[in-house]
Amino acid sequence: MAAHGVGFDADAFFSEAAFESPVDEEGVHHSFSQLIQEQTQDLDSYKEAIEMCPLETEEKSKDDALSLSGPASSVGADSSGSAADPLVERWSSDTLRVLSSMPSRTIGRSRGAILSQYYSRTMQLCRRRQSHRPSIHSFSRSARPSICGYRVESDAAHFEAEENKKEQLINNLQNLSVGERVRMLKAIPLNLAEKSELRRLASNKTIHSPSPHEIPCCSHFKDYIIIALRNGRYSWLSFVSSMQLWQTALKTVSGRFGTGVLSYFVFLRTLFFFNVFLLLVTGLFLVVPQAVRPPVLKKTAPVHFGLELLTGAGYFSDSLLYYGYYSNYTLQKPCSNSCGSHLSYNMPLAYFFTIGVAFFITCIILVYSMSQSFGQSFRVDRSKGLLTIKVFSCWDFKVIKKSSVKLQCENISTQLKELVAEVNRKEVKSSWLRCLFTVSVQLLAWFICIGSTVACALAVYYFSEYMHKDLIDHKHSCSNSSQTAESSGSVLLKEASLLALPTVVSSVNLLMPGFFNTVAWMEEYDSPSKRNYVAIFRNLMLKVSMLGVLCFHWLGRVAVQHPKCMDLQCWESFVGQELYRFLLMDFIFTMLDTLIGELLWRLFTQKVLKKKRKPVFDIARNVLELIYGQTLAWLGVLFTPLLPAVQVTKLLLLFYIKKMSLMMNCQAPRKPWLASQMTTFFITLLCFPSFLGAAVCVTYTMWTIKPSPSCGPFRGLGTMFQAGKRWVEDLATANTRFKWLSWAHAYLVENPFFLFLAAGVFL
């Protein structure tokens, strides 16, 4: 029989434990009294039997106090017994349910008494199966302790009687079905070695033992097929588990640093899968068809690898990376003579529907992931027996490798620390004067953080306006002196100036979280989780303000106000280059933060300050950096179809760099805390405001802003949204049967009321 690991699912555990409820223990008390009578008959002295009776009565009274059932035992019950144990009220029903089935509940009972009891139970089961064949679930699996009969079987006669009982029990087990036999063996309160021996003897010894020649060949063949299928299933499950991305690394992080740090890496893996999906969609439906039929370019810029890798300009401007490279006509490929036609691919329509469908599917996946994460996190929080499950049922007995055993020990130890800290956490009652002082300090800290965020947003706004005017002035000066060739130094200076705004914004995103952490020293929060949530909200406020200023800069200034003043033939490609630069600079500054904030700080504290302390992993800062980068990727997929490839590469490198820095430079939190809802909170922030804000900006661009007249798949149209309308009109003109599509598009798609109604129903 294959060994099965113990899972962490609370529902599965409680469904398994439902068969051994302490409610059914009244019958077990009666069977215990019968066993006690059998054991006391062989005692030499009547005095010893009399001395055992108070022990029996005392044990019965204790069992009645601990039992969850209403009726008490009828044997040895004292109507004027002592009050219930106050410890019982401190344990939940789930805890008592687990304790009732533990082998420690049988301390003091003799092995012969156990075998005799379960021999009687198997005999009753066999008789009932022969008459009515009831389910094994009707029998109690729980067992109550008794100190009666302790060390009363010491001579050879009792040993022989015990062996006879064992033989009878084996014979009865053979008459049961396989499932009933397994359940009965699980219920017997013996150690694993004795249970294994009973199972082996019951399986090997049969009532009718036919010779191998009497067994038909089809039975052998059927057994071989079943064993092969079972082994194949287990091998496939093991293979699928091992193929999960970064599974071993996540277990290592969870074992050493807890669920809080683990939630960051799980969130990073989620973003990685989102970007892989976006890359597959845009690659299959946009990049590959356009690469097969490339457009004819007027001229190709010279290749100067250097700053172009950082700016995304120059050679990359006329490539598959940006919007301006894609065609505005139907791609056609001649077919073979057998088909008599040609293959066509409407590039503007494909571009429009690919972006729209990609955002729609991403929204569905996000909403589903958020709802599923909500269900899991709140189910865990409502399970009061989670600590008991972790203590008694969390070990996986399939683990035999030494490194895996060590990793599992670390993981279980960290989870127990977090659960114990969560159980022991209590609300500290303070005086009203102390509460007033704490609230005043927290309000002051929030005022400082909000004021600094507003100041940074205004600084970025005015700096972006200054750089925008400088770029316009530079274009005018170049057009006035068009006869004079630009030197290589001026070209490099011009490319370097494109990195000024991304550098300033990335510097603000790097320095301000440290300032927020400094302000947080003034505050006093009673739990680390609350401190992390406050830090996340403050960093979120900073990121949203930065992205709001940048979206106004791109869609308000560049796209609407001054595309001609800047002499931009394709403002969509320029915005795509800006998003590429911001995404790349964000990755560079994240690496600087890892180097300066973690590595150098560890070396400084250990070498200079001579302390063993290491920095703690900043969950709030790192998570908001991921959300900020993912928002840039969603904003840029319309203008840069290959931007998800850049984001995938960035996340792949970021995972290994962050994991290496975490293991080398960081330490676990000094106060363990349970982050059961942290992943749900991250997914919620990713859905709103990150994805929703990006979807609103992309929809506004496609619905309102006029595309560039000389580049891209939507050139010559009033808006990008008109690509669908033109396709419907062409289809209705070519075939009169599709005239109803024009009406449907006009009243259902172009009607804002219907769109708002559909969006409301979907939400």
Side-chain angles (χ1 to χ4, degrees), residues 151-179:
R151 292 182 180 177
V152 298
E153 301 172 357
S154 56
D155 53 0
H158 290 156
F159 178 77
E160 184 178 357
E162 179 180 327
E163 291 299 321
N164 293 333
K165 294 174 183 177
K166 178 180 177 181
E167 187 71 19
Q168 295 171 355
L169 176 61
I170 292 173
N171 293 331
N172 289 337
L173 287 174
Q174 293 168 358
N175 297 327
L176 301 178
S177 64
V178 177

Coordinates of all heavy atoms in Angstrom, one line a residue, residues 151-179:
R151 N -0.6 -3.4 33.9 CA 0.3 -4.4 34.3 C -0.3 -5.6 35.1 O 0.2 -6.0 36.1 CB 1.4 -3.8 35.2 CG 2.3 -2.8 34.4 CD 3.4 -2.2 35.2 NE 4.2 -1.3 34.5 CZ 5.2 -0.6 35.0 NH1 5.5 -0.7 36.3 NH2 5.9 0.2 34.2
V152 N -1.4 -6.0 34.6 CA -2.1 -7.2 35.3 C -1.8 -8.4 34.5 O -2.2 -9.5 35.0 CB -3.6 -6.9 35.4 CG1 -3.8 -5.7 36.3 CG2 -4.2 -6.7 34.1
E153 N -1.2 -8.3 33.3 CA -1.0 -9.5 32.5 C 0.6 -9.8 32.5 O 1.3 -9.2 31.7 CB -1.5 -9.3 31.1 CG -3.0 -9.1 31.1 CD -3.5 -8.7 29.7 OE1 -2.6 -8.6 28.8 OE2 -4.6 -8.5 29.5
S154 N 1.0 -10.5 33.4 CA 2.5 -10.7 33.5 C 2.9 -12.1 33.4 O 4.1 -12.4 33.3 CB 3.0 -10.1 34.9 OG 2.3 -10.7 35.9
D155 N 2.0 -13.1 33.5 CA 2.5 -14.4 33.5 C 2.3 -15.0 32.1 O 1.7 -14.4 31.2 CB 1.7 -15.3 34.5 CG 0.2 -15.1 34.4 OD1 -0.2 -14.3 33.5 OD2 -0.5 -15.7 35.2
A156 N 2.6 -16.2 31.9 CA 2.6 -16.9 30.6 C 1.2 -17.2 30.2 O 0.9 -17.1 29.0 CB 3.4 -18.2 30.7
A157 N 0.3 -17.4 31.1 CA -1.1 -17.7 30.8 C -1.7 -16.5 30.1 O -2.4 -16.6 29.1 CB -1.9 -18.1 32.0
H158 N -1.5 -15.3 30.7 CA -2.0 -14.1 30.1 C -1.4 -13.8 28.7 O -2.1 -13.3 27.8 CB -1.8 -12.9 31.1 CG -2.6 -13.0 32.3 ND1 -2.3 -12.4 33.5 CD2 -3.8 -13.7 32.5 CE1 -3.2 -12.6 34.4 NE2 -4.1 -13.4 33.9
F159 N -0.1 -14.1 28.6 CA 0.5 -13.9 27.3 C -0.1 -14.8 26.2 O -0.3 -14.4 25.1 CB 2.0 -14.2 27.4 CG 2.8 -14.0 26.1 CD1 3.1 -12.8 25.6 CD2 3.1 -15.2 25.4 CE1 3.8 -12.6 24.5 CE2 3.8 -15.0 24.2 CZ 4.1 -13.8 23.7
E160 N -0.4 -16.1 26.6 CA -1.0 -17.0 25.7 C -2.4 -16.5 25.3 O -2.8 -16.6 24.2 CB -1.0 -18.4 26.3 CG -1.6 -19.4 25.3 CD -1.5 -20.8 25.9 OE1 -1.0 -20.9 27.1 OE2 -2.0 -21.8 25.3
A161 N -3.1 -16.0 26.3 CA -4.5 -15.5 26.0 C -4.4 -14.3 25.1 O -5.3 -14.1 24.2 CB -5.2 -15.1 27.4
E162 N -3.4 -13.5 25.3 CA -3.2 -12.3 24.4 C -3.0 -12.7 23.0 O -3.5 -12.1 22.0 CB -2.1 -11.4 24.9 CG -1.9 -10.2 24.1 CD -0.7 -9.3 24.7 OE1 -0.6 -9.3 25.9 OE2 0.0 -8.7 23.9
E163 N -2.1 -13.7 22.8 CA -1.9 -14.2 21.5 C -3.1 -14.8 20.8 O -3.3 -14.7 19.6 CB -0.7 -15.3 21.5 CG 0.6 -14.7 21.9 CD 1.1 -13.7 20.9 OE1 0.9 -13.9 19.6 OE2 1.6 -12.6 21.3
N164 N -3.9 -15.5 21.6 CA -5.2 -16.1 21.1 C -6.1 -14.9 20.7 O -6.8 -15.0 19.6 CB -5.8 -16.9 22.2 CG -5.1 -18.2 22.5 OD1 -4.3 -18.7 21.6 ND2 -5.2 -18.7 23.7
K165 N -6.2 -13.9 21.5 CA -7.0 -12.7 21.1 C -6.5 -12.1 19.8 O -7.3 -11.7 18.9 CB -7.0 -11.7 22.2 CG -7.7 -12.2 23.5 CD -7.6 -11.2 24.6 CE -8.2 -11.7 25.9 NZ -8.0 -10.7 27.0
K166 N -5.2 -12.1 19.7 CA -4.6 -11.5 18.5 C -4.9 -12.3 17.2 O -5.3 -11.8 16.2 CB -3.1 -11.4 18.6 CG -2.3 -10.8 17.4 CD -0.9 -10.8 17.7 CE -0.1 -10.3 16.4 NZ 1.3 -10.3 16.6
E167 N -4.9 -13.6 17.4 CA -5.2 -14.5 16.3 C -6.7 -14.4 15.9 O -7.0 -14.4 14.7 CB -4.9 -16.0 16.7 CG -5.0 -17.0 15.6 CD -3.9 -16.9 14.5 OE1 -2.9 -16.3 14.9 OE2 -4.1 -17.4 13.4
Q168 N -7.5 -14.3 16.9 CA -9.0 -14.1 16.6 C -9.2 -12.8 15.9 O -10.1 -12.7 15.0 CB -9.8 -14.3 17.9 CG -9.7 -15.6 18.6 CD -10.3 -15.7 19.9 OE1 -10.7 -14.6 20.5 NE2 -10.4 -16.8 20.5
L169 N -8.5 -11.8 16.4 CA -8.7 -10.5 15.7 C -8.3 -10.5 14.3 O -8.9 -9.9 13.4 CB -7.9 -9.4 16.5 CG -7.9 -8.0 15.9 CD1 -9.3 -7.4 15.9 CD2 -7.0 -7.1 16.7
I170 N -7.2 -11.2 14.0 CA -6.7 -11.3 12.6 C -7.7 -12.1 11.7 O -8.0 -11.7 10.6 CB -5.3 -12.0 12.6 CG1 -4.3 -11.1 13.2 CG2 -4.9 -12.3 11.1 CD1 -2.9 -11.8 13.4
N171 N -8.3 -13.1 12.3 CA -9.3 -13.9 11.6 C -10.5 -13.0 11.2 O -11.1 -13.1 10.2 CB -9.7 -15.1 12.3 CG -8.6 -16.1 12.5 OD1 -7.8 -16.2 11.6 ND2 -8.6 -16.9 13.5
N172 N -10.9 -12.2 12.2 CA -12.1 -11.3 12.0 C -11.7 -10.2 11.0 O -12.6 -9.8 10.2 CB -12.5 -10.7 13.3 CG -13.2 -11.7 14.2 OD1 -13.7 -12.7 13.8 ND2 -13.2 -11.4 15.5
L173 N -10.5 -9.7 11.0 CA -10.1 -8.7 10.0 C -10.2 -9.2 8.6 O -10.4 -8.5 7.6 CB -8.7 -8.1 10.3 CG -8.6 -7.2 11.6 CD1 -7.1 -6.9 11.9 CD2 -9.4 -5.9 11.4
Q174 N -9.9 -10.5 8.5 CA -9.9 -11.1 7.1 C -11.3 -11.2 6.5 O -11.4 -11.2 5.3 CB -9.3 -12.5 7.2 CG -7.8 -12.5 7.5 CD -7.3 -13.9 7.8 OE1 -8.1 -14.8 7.8 NE2 -6.0 -14.0 8.1
N175 N -12.3 -11.2 7.4 CA -13.6 -11.3 6.9 C -14.2 -10.0 6.5 O -15.3 -9.9 5.9 CB -14.6 -11.9 8.0 CG -14.2 -13.4 8.3 OD1 -13.7 -14.1 7.4 ND2 -14.3 -13.8 9.5
L176 N -13.5 -8.9 6.8 CA -13.9 -7.6 6.4 C -13.5 -7.2 5.0 O -12.5 -7.8 4.5 CB -13.4 -6.5 7.4 CG -13.8 -6.7 8.9 CD1 -13.2 -5.6 9.7 CD2 -15.3 -6.7 9.0
S177 N -14.1 -6.2 4.4 CA -13.6 -5.7 3.1 C -12.3 -4.9 3.3 O -11.9 -4.6 4.4 CB -14.7 -4.8 2.5 OG -14.9 -3.7 3.3
V178 N -11.7 -4.6 2.2 CA -10.4 -3.9 2.3 C -10.6 -2.6 2.9 O -9.8 -2.2 3.8 CB -9.8 -3.8 0.9 CG1 -8.5 -3.0 1.0 CG2 -9.6 -5.2 0.3
G179 N -11.6 -1.8 2.5 CA -11.8 -0.5 3.1 C -12.1 -0.5 4.6 O -11.6 0.3 5.4

